């Protein structure tokens, strides 16, 4: 009998805890599959310290395969669920599609940035929900301070040193607190204009900072922020965002190049497509975290509306504390439904307090309802984070120690560009990359540019109202508009360059790929200069009368370049030129509307010190061969035969080549070619003029 299949969608706080608990409970009695876009679990509470340069990105990233034994990891994003067929359809990072079958499904897809209908916010603001957004904010803030220090205009310096954070909740408060300390430390080493210093603004429509926490903690946090110079404005928000600043609801205009959006989160849009009962965007479940009417379907974390048994009629808030404990209860109930674990249990949990890290030795905390502030709260806050992290504890503690004794490294790496982290994104944990599965964005094999195809395939112009940025080849052009998603050259679709833009196969008439058939760099056209005189081109001393009119198009040539057999300076023989032409294949006569020409039987050439080139009909009085085919009198002699008594051309003369068949009436006859001596044809035909 096959083992039951359990599929978990998402590896956030709820999904990671569910997978780890199920791995311990089942013990090889079930196949557990974890579907997630990344191969790490992100500890979100410490993300502001990554943006401030305190922690390295890998310190808050816990490996899934290294910490989840007996769990199969599948990289991909779920884009559809068939509840009746019990299958999950997903797209991997390279654009491939797959299907996972399940007997039990746990939805823990998490949340994304919440948007408000404010003009310009989607185009000019950036969220703070994933590691790419934190890395971008760190580089962007560093760059703005460096540009402000070198700016000659005082107004520009002030605009670049102004950073606006919207949302005074848990995340926004920590971002503003750590950001002010980071920029102050940077300015001490790179002084700006006299009287100028970085300015951080914290806005919210609520009446106080941290409205979801105890009022005493709110007062403590606001006092610390104001002491550091943060401009805290409550009851005010953004009315409109532009390229050069923001317009506030009180009518004030603030010139800035940075707008950080920390208003809140909303459930992942995946659950909306299921057609099941919802509660404010979240999937409605019972106290056992099971979807009513679907015994095989469970949900936990931010996507689930879990009834709060301690507060009847309400649902548990969307916090990491509840999501972490949802995962443990959900795993126990899934195992119980398969007959592996014990009995089912309902979710019941009381808030144990909150901790807010304000940077340095300052923090605000109320563990078990006891309000604390100052260094004591800072110690409790960091101790709580070390205890809650599922890994990397020693590395995090080492980074905290180094930050206390060494200055921070304020450098911008430029790894994440503005257009890679749009505010409106269904996957904030994955940075968008240029290219699609079927396009070559970097000029190499298409397989090298397939990462993030689903996240990067949609147009930023369609989703965020701004043109998508150019790829790696246009990074320099994105500096001026780095704070916008459209900080580069516009494209037709996100990640797919236009036909005439760099980054993919160049157009036929553009440099960088196969040259146009009449352009230098590839096979020369028949009427263009090349390794040797073209068939229809006279020598330098030839009169221009034999050239075709200017409006006469040149003959089409195939795309393959013709290699000169004897080097670039050697002239091609008529036989070689004839064999390289596609319309004169070996053994086949050339297609033409003229009747076949009568040829004279060729005789073996006689030995001579002076080889006889292929003669052609020339005027008898000509000493220097300057044939004019258009003025040649017609006679009954076969083509190529020399007139009786005509002198043989000298060795130094440039005799014309075989003129070929008589040209059509609407086109001038071809010009001469150079024939160094008797030619032996290799295509099975007798060469006209052979002696």
């Amino acid at each position: 009998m096959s083992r039951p299949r359990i599929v978990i969608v998402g590896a956030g706080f709820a999904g990671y805890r569910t997978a780890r608990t199920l791995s311990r409970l089942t013990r090889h009695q079930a196949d557990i599959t974890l579907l997630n876009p990344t191969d790490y679990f992100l500890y979100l509470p410490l993300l502001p310290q990554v943006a401030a340069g305190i922690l390295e990105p890998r310190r808050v990233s816990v490996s899934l395969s290294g910490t989840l034994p007996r769990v199969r990891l599948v990289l991909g994003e779920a884009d559809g669920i068939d509840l009746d067929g019990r299958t999950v359809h997903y797209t991997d990072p390279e654009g491939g599609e797959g299907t996972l079958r399940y007997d039990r499904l746990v939805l823990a897809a998490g949340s994304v940035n919440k948007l408000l209908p404010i003009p310009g916010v989607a185009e000019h603001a950036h969220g703070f929900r994933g590691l790419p957004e934190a890395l971008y904010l760190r580089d962007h803030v560093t760059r703005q301070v460096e540009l402000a220090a070198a700016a000659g205009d005082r107004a520009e310096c002030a605009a670049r040193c102004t950073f606006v954070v919207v949302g005074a909740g848990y995340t926004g408060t920590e971002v503003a607190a750590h950001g002010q300390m980071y920029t102050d430390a940077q300015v001490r080493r790179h002084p700006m204009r006299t009287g100028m210093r970085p300015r951080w603004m914290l806005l919210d429509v609520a009446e106080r900072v941290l409205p979801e926490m105890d009022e005493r903690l709110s007062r403590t946090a606001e006092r610390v922020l104001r002491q550091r110079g943060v401009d805290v404005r409550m009851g005010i928000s953004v009315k409109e965002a532009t390229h050069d600043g923001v317009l506030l609801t009180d009518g004030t205009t603030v010139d800035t190049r940075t707008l950080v959006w920390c208003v809140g989160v909303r459930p992942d849009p995946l659950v909306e497509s299921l057609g099941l009962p919802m509660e404010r965007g979240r999937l409605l479940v019972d106290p056992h975290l099971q979807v009513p009417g679907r015994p095989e379907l469970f949900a936990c974390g931010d996507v689930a509306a879990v009834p709060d048994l301690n507060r009847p009629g309400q649902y548990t808030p969307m916090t990491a504390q509840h999501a972490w404990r949802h995962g443990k209860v959900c795993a126990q109930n899934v195992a119980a439904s398969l007959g592996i674990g014990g009995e089912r249990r309902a979710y019941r949990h009381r808030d144990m307090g909150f901790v807010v890290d304000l940077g340095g030795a300052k923090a605000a905390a109320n563990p078990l309802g006891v309000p604390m502030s100052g260094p004591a709260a800072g110690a409790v806050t960091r101790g709580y984070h070390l205890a809650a992290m599922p890994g990397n504890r020693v590395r995090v503690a080492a980074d905290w120690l180094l930050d206390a004794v060494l200055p921070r490294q304020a450098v911008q790496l430029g790894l994440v560009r503005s257009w890679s982290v749009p505010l409106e994104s269904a996957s904030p944990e994955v940075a968008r990359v240029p290219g699609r599965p079927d396009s070559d964005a970097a000029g190499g094999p298409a397989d090298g540019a397939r990462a993030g195809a689903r996240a990067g395939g949609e147009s930023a112009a369609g989703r965020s109202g701004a043109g998508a940025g150019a790829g790696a080849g246009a990074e320099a052009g994105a500096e001026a508009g780095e704070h916008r998603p459209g900080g580069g050259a516009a494209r037709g679709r996100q990640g797919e360059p236009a036909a005439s833009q760099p980054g993919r196969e160049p157009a036929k008439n553009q440099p960088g790929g196969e040259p146009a058939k009449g352009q230098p760099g590839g096979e020369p056209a028949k009427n263009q200069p090349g390794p040797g005189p073209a068939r229809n081109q006279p020598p330098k001393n030839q009169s221009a009368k034999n050239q075709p009119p200017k409006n006469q198009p040149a003959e089409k040539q195939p795309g393959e370049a013709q290699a000169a057999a004897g080097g670039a300076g050697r002239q091609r023989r008529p036989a070689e030129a004839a064999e390289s032409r596609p319309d004169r294949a070996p053994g086949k006569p050339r297609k033409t509307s003229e009747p076949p020409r009568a040829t004279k039987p060729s005789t073996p050439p006689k030995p001579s010190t002076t080889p006889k080139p292929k003669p052609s009909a020339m005027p008898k009085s000509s000493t220097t061969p300057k044939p004019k085919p258009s003025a040649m009198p017609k006679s009954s002699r076969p083509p190529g035969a020399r007139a009786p008594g005509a002198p043989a051309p000298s060795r130094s003369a440039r005799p014309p080549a075989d003129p070929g068949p008589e040209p059509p009436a609407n086109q001038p006859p071809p010009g001469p070619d150079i024939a160094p001596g008797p030619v032996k044809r290799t295509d099975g035909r007798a060469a006209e003029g052979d002696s």
Side-chain angles (χ1 to χ4, degrees):
M1 181 178 178
S2 61
R3 295 184 296 182
R5 295 164 296 189
I6 304 174
V7 175
I8 305 171
V9 178
F13 279 90
Y16 180 86
R17 186 73 182 276
T18 301
R20 195 171 73 167
T21 307
L22 277 174
S23 174
R24 178 178 54 86
L25 292 176
T26 57
R27 296 188 179 276
H28 300 288
Q29 299 182 52
D31 293 331
I32 306 172
T33 302
L34 179 61
L35 178 64
N36 197 58
T38 62
D39 63 346
Y40 60 83
F41 158 73
L42 178 63
Y43 190 75
L44 274 170
L46 294 181
L47 201 59
Q49 298 191 24
V50 174
I54 300 175
L55 298 177
E56 290 300 316
R58 286 184 295 179
R59 303 295 185 259
V60 299
S61 307
V62 180
S63 172
L64 296 179
S65 57
T67 57
L68 295 178
R70 300 180 293 275
V71 175
R72 174 194 173 204
L73 173 63
V74 176
L75 292 179
E77 297 183 56
D79 49 21
I81 298 176
D82 185 2
L83 297 177
D84 296 330
R86 295 194 177 187
T87 56
V88 177
H89 305 279
Y90 69 93
T91 303
D92 63 27
E94 295 187 349
E97 297 182 354
T99 302
L100 298 175
R101 297 188 177 275
Y102 65 85
D103 297 306
R104 295 293 184 272
L105 176 63
V106 179
L107 291 178
S111 56
V112 298
N113 294 309
K114 181 172 68 175
L115 296 179
L116 298 178
I118 300 176
V121 168
E123 294 85 357
H124 305 288
H126 290 281
F128 202 80
R129 288 292 301 167
L131 197 57
E133 294 172 323
L135 294 177
Y136 165 75
L137 183 61
R138 177 178 174 177
D139 281 356
H140 176 73
V141 170
T142 305
R143 178 168 50 254
Q144 294 305 314
V145 174
E146 293 171 349
L147 293 175
D153 185 11
R154 187 179 182 86
E156 179 185 357
C157 179
R160 292 191 180 277
C161 285
T162 301
F163 308 95
V164 179
V165 180
V166 183
Y170 183 91
T171 302
T173 301
E174 288 195 342
V175 168
H178 284 281
Q180 183 71 56
M181 292 187 63
Y182 178 65
T183 53
D184 285 347
Q186 190 175 357
V187 167
R188 284 196 293 267
R189 291 190 295 269
H190 301 281
M192 295 186 295
R193 301 174 62 92
T194 305
M196 300 291 296
R197 63 166 297 185
R199 175 192 180 193
W200 284 78
M201 298 182 62
L202 182 61
L203 312 177
D204 202 312
V205 295
E207 298 179 356
R208 56 187 176 92
V209 177
L210 300 173
E212 68 276 3
M213 298 181 63
D214 183 75
E215 187 175 354
R216 187 177 302 180
L217 292 181
S218 297
R219 290 197 302 265
T220 301
E222 184 174 353
R223 183 179 65 252
V224 172
L225 292 176
R226 293 188 183 276
Q227 289 175 352
R228 291 182 181 169
V230 178
D231 187 0
V232 181
R233 299 189 184 185
M234 294 293 99
I236 299 175
S237 186
V238 174
K239 183 178 181 181
E240 182 181 359
T242 62
H243 172 81
D244 300 321
V246 293
L247 175 63
L248 304 184
T249 54
D250 62 353
T252 306
T253 300
V254 179
D255 295 335
T256 181
R257 301 290 189 273
T258 308
L259 181 59
V260 185
W261 193 257
C262 303
V263 171
V265 294
R266 59 188 176 94
D268 192 285
L270 174 66
V271 297
E272 299 177 359
S273 62
L274 300 180
L276 297 175
M278 309 287 291
E279 176 63 32
R280 294 185 179 181
R282 294 194 285 175
L283 195 61
L284 191 61
V285 297
D286 58 18
H288 300 90
L289 307 179
Q290 196 169 15
V291 177
R294 293 283 179 177
E296 78 284 355
L297 182 59
F298 295 79
C300 55
D302 291 346
V303 299
V306 182
D308 192 344
L309 300 182
N310 294 320
R311 296 181 300 173
Q314 299 186 23
Y315 299 92
T316 57
M318 299 170 61
T319 62
Q321 184 179 140
H322 282 285
W324 185 253
R325 289 161 177 81
H326 284 176
K328 181 178 180 181
V329 175
C330 182
Q332 293 174 347
N333 292 338
V334 169
S337 67
L338 295 173
I340 299 175
E343 298 294 330
R344 295 195 311 165
R345 53 172 292 194
Y347 177 77
R348 183 189 296 270
H349 175 70
R350 296 178 58 184
D351 290 336
M352 300 178 65
F354 289 91
V355 293
V356 180
D357 188 358
L358 301 177
K362 301 296 183 64
N366 59 345
L368 301 177
V370 179
M372 302 177 64
S373 62
V380 170
T381 299
R382 296 200 169 184
Y384 170 79
H385 288 317
L386 287 179
M389 288 192 66
N392 297 342
R393 296 185 180 94
V394 176
R395 290 185 172 92
V396 170
D399 278 2
W400 283 341
L401 179 62
L402 292 176
D403 180 70
V405 298
L406 296 176
R408 301 180 192 176
Q409 294 178 317
V411 295
Q412 49 168 325
L413 302 179
L415 300 179
V416 182
R417 313 302 294 183
S418 173
W419 51 267
S420 300
V421 284
L423 179 62
E424 186 180 3
S425 174
S427 300
E429 67 274 8
V430 179
R432 290 185 177 180
V433 295
R436 300 181 308 156
D438 55 346
S439 68
D440 181 6
D447 292 340
R450 293 185 177 181
R454 287 283 174 168
E458 300 180 21
S459 171
R463 301 189 62 178
S464 301
E475 298 294 350
E479 293 295 338
E482 182 59 27
H483 66 286
R484 297 179 298 165
R491 295 183 181 181
R493 284 179 288 182
Q494 168 71 13
E496 181 184 2
S500 60
Q501 296 291 338
R504 60 171 292 173
E505 182 183 357
K508 291 290 182 72
N509 295 333
Q510 297 292 338
E514 180 186 355
K517 296 181 179 179
Q519 299 292 336
E523 180 189 4
K526 293 217 171 177
N527 293 337
Q528 298 292 339
R535 296 189 60 87
N536 295 344
Q537 193 79 350
K540 294 181 180 179
N541 59 352
Q542 179 66 31
S543 173
K545 293 182 180 181
N546 298 332
Q547 297 184 10
K550 292 183 179 180
N551 58 356
Q552 182 68 25
E555 282 189 341
K556 300 288 185 179
Q557 284 287 349
E560 298 83 1
Q562 298 180 352
R570 202 189 82 169
Q571 306 292 345
R572 293 194 310 172
R573 298 191 177 188
E576 296 172 349
E579 289 178 355
S580 64
R581 296 179 58 180
D583 58 344
R584 299 188 62 174
K588 294 184 180 181
R590 187 168 68 174
K591 296 180 181 181
T592 177
S593 58
E594 295 289 330
R597 294 176 290 177
T599 59
K600 181 182 291 185
S602 61
T603 58
K606 297 180 180 181
S608 175
T609 58
T610 302
K612 297 181 180 181
K614 295 194 297 181
S616 61
M618 297 185 299
K620 295 181 179 181
S621 60
S622 173
T623 58
T624 301
K626 294 183 178 180
K628 298 181 179 180
S630 59
M632 293 173 56
K634 296 183 180 181
S635 64
S636 59
R637 291 192 301 271
R642 183 163 55 90
S650 62
R651 187 182 186 89
S652 60
R654 299 169 62 91
D658 178 16
E662 184 177 353
N666 59 349
Q667 184 173 351
D673 201 351
I674 296 177
V679 179
K680 183 70 174 179
R681 284 198 176 273
T682 59
D683 56 358
R685 298 180 62 237
E688 295 83 3
D690 288 351
S691 60

